[in-house]
Amino acid sequence: IHIEFARDLKKSKDEKDHDRKKQKENEKRNERVKEFIESHKQKITAFNIERVKLWFELDAMNNQMCVYSGKTISARMILSDEVQVDHI
């Protein structure tokens, strides 16, 4: 099923292609996040998904280190209560 909203009808072909590309990237990232969570034998919850997404983004910026303490945040820590979201 393909649904287009009125706001989408006003977009150019390039804008629509850009949106589709972003959606595909998000789908791939979400799948990667879910696989990561499952590989660590944790439940796929909205909370775990949010934490892992932030952790992946943090890796791209500063090697998965806490912005406050400078300590490395491990995969085990990210899926436990050892780390608060605002430290990711």
Side-chain angles (χ1 to χ4, degrees):
I1 297 176
H2 181 78
I3 300 173
E4 286 193 37
F5 294 97
R7 67 177 180 262
D8 293 334
L9 297 173
K10 298 176 187 176
K11 291 183 176 181
S12 70
K13 181 183 179 325
D14 288 341
E15 290 172 318
K16 289 178 184 179
D17 289 344
H18 180 265
D19 289 348
R20 277 191 218 97
K21 181 181 175 187
K22 285 294 196 188
Q23 287 174 342
K24 289 276 188 202
E25 289 171 1
N26 285 335
E27 287 172 7
K28 287 179 184 178
R29 184 183 67 188
N30 289 339
E31 191 58 39
R32 200 173 114 218
V33 166
K34 289 177 184 178
E35 288 172 2
F36 178 87
I37 294 169
E38 288 175 337
S39 73
H40 287 82
K41 297 177 180 33
Q42 297 292 319
K43 291 182 180 177
I44 296 177
T45 64
F47 186 67
N48 280 344
I49 290 170
E50 177 189 19
R51 291 170 70 98
V52 172
K53 280 183 180 180
L54 290 170
W55 189 65
F56 283 170
E57 287 177 22
L58 188 64
D59 183 37
M61 294 186 320
N62 70 354
N63 206 18
Q64 296 170 327
M65 298 181 86
C66 173
V67 294
Y68 298 116
S69 70
K71 294 180 181 178
T72 301
I73 301 172
S74 69
R76 178 189 55 77
M77 292 169 71
I78 201 65
L79 292 169
S80 72
D81 292 333
E82 286 184 60
V83 179
Q84 297 172 350
V85 172
D86 63 327
H87 286 260
I88 303 171

